[in-house]
Amino acid sequence: MATLPLEGYQVLDFSTYAAAPVCAMTLADWGADVIKVESLFGDAFRLFGFIMRCPIAENDNIQFELDNRNKRGIALDLKTPEGQEIIQRLLKGTDVLVTNYRPKRSRASASIMRLSRGNIPGWFMLI
C-alpha cells in the first residue's frame, strides 16, 4: 500500500464550523494523524445537521461526520489541571495546530495559545 504524503505528522484540531475543520480534514485525508479536541459539551457544530434539517438520526450528523472524517477525537476540560496536562502531552508531538477561535476574543483561544507557545512548528488560524 502506498504511503500518503503527510503520514508521520501530528495535527491538533481545536476548530469548529466550516473552513478550519475542512483544513484539518484535508490534512487527515493526506495521511496526517489529526486529533480533534472538543470541550466536554462537544463541538457546537454537532447540532448543525439538526438546525439545517440535514438527514440526522440520534447519533448521526452527516455534515459533522464529513468535516471530521479520518480524525481521532478527545473531549477535555481545558480549565482543569488534568485537561491542561493532557494537552501539554499532546502538544509535545504536534507538528501543526489548527484553530479558528479568534485571538483575544475567547478564553478558549487564550488557553490554546498559552499552552502551545513554543511547542508547535506549524499554526493554522482560519477565521
Side-chain angles (χ1 to χ4, degrees), residues 4-116:
L4 295 169
L6 296 181
E7 283 184 12
Y9 287 90
Q10 181 169 308
V11 177
L12 276 186
D13 176 10
F14 284 92
S15 64
T16 186
Y17 190 76
V22 171
C23 172
M25 174 201 71
T26 303
L27 296 173
D29 288 350
W30 283 61
D33 178 19
V34 178
I35 302 171
K36 177 165 180 59
V37 181
E38 300 181 56
S39 75
L40 297 179
F41 300 105
D43 186 341
F45 196 48
R46 289 181 177 273
L47 302 174
F48 185 76
F50 177 75
I51 293 166
M52 297 306 291
R53 297 188 178 156
C54 295
I56 186 169
E58 186 175 322
N59 293 319
D60 186 31
N61 180 335
I62 293 170
Q63 189 62 51
F64 181 84
E65 291 172 9
L66 276 173
D67 288 354
N68 291 288
R69 69 175 182 250
N70 295 327
K71 299 178 187 179
R72 296 187 293 152
I74 187 169
L76 297 171
D77 183 352
L78 293 180
K79 297 175 188 170
T80 65
E82 295 85 5
Q84 291 179 14
E85 179 185 332
I86 291 168
I87 289 298
Q88 288 289 351
R89 284 196 313 243
L90 289 171
L91 285 168
K92 287 188 186 339
T94 294
D95 299 296
V96 176
L97 188 142
V98 178
T99 186
N100 57 351
Y101 292 111
R102 297 177 67 183
K104 300 180 183 176
R105 296 280 183 191
S106 72
R107 280 185 249 148
S109 179
S111 293
I112 294 165
M113 292 172 86
R114 181 178 46 77
L115 290 170
S116 64

